[in-house]
Amino acid sequence: MTAASGLALNTATLGHNLDGAGAGWSPEQTIDACAERGLGGLVFWRREIAGREVALGERVRATGMAVVGLCRAPYLVGHETPREPQAVMDGFMASIDAAAALGAPVLTIVAGGIEPDTKGPATSLRRLEERVAKGADYAAARGVRLALEPLNPVYGANRSCLTSVRDAIDICARIGAPNVGVAVDVYHVWWDTDLARQLQRPDCRIEGVHLCDWLHDTTDTLLDRGMMGDGVADIVGIRRAARDGGYTGISEVEIFSARTWWQRDPGLVLDTMIERFVSAC
Ligand code: ZN
């Protein structure tokens, strides 16, 4: 066991969540580089593995690493979702199928923003809950757990009507399915003074912990995430709160950084995140 074995790479850290970003490593190169460094696993984005889920999942497991998760379900509410509810569910179920094919135990859900022609988050959150509840059985039948990830409130309008761990746990509790829990991402929760208390709730099930940092003078609230230790988040405290809330799983590093880390050699990025996992997390 090394420190790196408790760490997974979310491939967004190498820019793989966006077309044309990062150094352009293939999934195979990425898998091999993570295995060489003794990482515990990987979290892929759908766009980089589409149609190759089975083979890439097998390749990861052949190295001794785990596929930790898949990012992500399409938005379930908001301006970017199809207006026809069945089309939304079809997209959701296709993403669950992709997770199952990859052998990913967890599919991350980013809610999507505020529904057209509505004000405030209430209607959007209610529709989100209905759709997650409908998908939960389909996911369970395929061995997939669903991780509802609340996003930082800066994204409340366009990316996630779900902006607090409290609301995410409330939704999970009302759905009441054993395969629906929450993902805790440092970038989205670092400001939340109620985080530790929420994660202690008996109805809280944590399905993932995502690491990065919030830079003091961030220049872009989407693509300027910091490396752990470079910003203002209490990462040690957040990880402790997750452990106290029962989380025993791996930590994944998820850094969207168009102007800094995506410009660097991916090998250096991997080495740095391992070093910072030891020194700053
Ligand atoms: Zn995340």
Side-chain angles (χ1 to χ4, degrees):
M1 284 282 283
T2 62
S5 66
L7 198 59
L9 172 74
N10 182 309
T11 63
T13 305
L14 304 184
H16 296 189
N17 53 320
L18 286 180
D19 286 327
W25 272 13
S26 68
E28 288 83 352
Q29 271 176 293
T30 309
I31 292 166
D32 292 348
C34 289
E36 275 168 27
R37 289 168 173 78
L39 286 191
L42 289 107
V43 177
F44 290 104
W45 282 68
R46 287 173 71 202
R47 57 168 293 281
E48 67 182 318
I49 61 162
R52 306 174 61 210
E53 290 87 353
V54 173
L56 289 170
E58 284 170 1
R59 184 172 175 125
V60 171
R61 286 181 286 276
T63 68
M65 296 188 296
V67 176
V68 173
L70 180 65
C71 284
R72 56 180 172 67
Y75 292 151
L76 298 179
V77 292
H79 278 81
E80 288 180 31
T81 52
R83 286 302 93 213
E84 171 55 49
Q86 190 54 49
V88 178
M89 290 309 296
D90 289 347
F92 185 17
M93 289 188 288
S95 69
I96 293 168
D97 290 339
L102 182 64
V106 175
L107 173 68
T108 301
I109 297 176
V110 173
I114 301 300
E115 286 276 83
D117 305 318
T118 71
K119 305 282 188 190
T123 304
S124 305
L125 287 171
R126 198 166 55 245
R127 282 181 199 159
L128 170 70
E129 182 176 326
E130 285 165 14
R131 290 169 183 176
V132 173
K134 275 188 194 155
D137 283 349
Y138 187 87
R142 285 151 187 82
V144 175
R145 302 195 299 276
L146 303 175
L148 260 182
E149 181 168 357
L151 299 197
N152 191 295
V154 295
Y155 306 119
N158 61 351
R159 292 176 186 273
S160 179
C161 58
L162 182 64
T163 56
S164 71
V165 165
R166 176 200 64 209
D167 289 348
I169 300 171
D170 284 347
I171 287 175
C172 294
R174 284 193 297 269
I175 291 173
N179 66 323
V180 180
V182 300
V184 177
D185 185 318
V186 167
Y187 199 72
H188 302 307
V189 305
W190 71 270
W191 55 272
D192 188 348
T193 53
D194 202 33
L195 179 70
R197 195 167 67 115
Q198 290 295 327
L199 295 181
Q200 292 276 342
R201 285 168 51 174
D203 50 3
C204 169
R205 183 184 302 105
I206 303 169
E207 291 291 0
V209 170
H210 307 170
L211 304 181
C212 66
D213 212 333
W214 183 282
L215 297 174
H216 176 257
D217 275 322
T218 186
T219 57
D220 177 340
T221 54
L222 184 62
L223 300 179
D224 187 34
R225 292 187 182 206
M227 180 63 70
M228 297 87 76
D230 287 346
V232 298
D234 177 11
I235 303 170
V236 171
I238 292 168
R239 291 186 72 226
R240 188 191 311 120
R243 272 197 304 276
D244 290 348
Y247 186 69
T248 57
I250 206 161
S251 299
E252 68 182 75
V253 174
E254 185 184 29
I255 301 175
F256 304 0
S257 174
R259 272 180 281 181
T260 305
W261 296 102
W262 292 355
Q263 300 298 327
R264 301 199 177 157
D265 172 64
L268 172 71
V269 177
L270 295 176
D271 292 338
T272 306
M273 74 181 213
I274 293 168
E275 178 205 310
R276 297 295 182 84
F277 185 54
V278 175
S279 66
C281 300

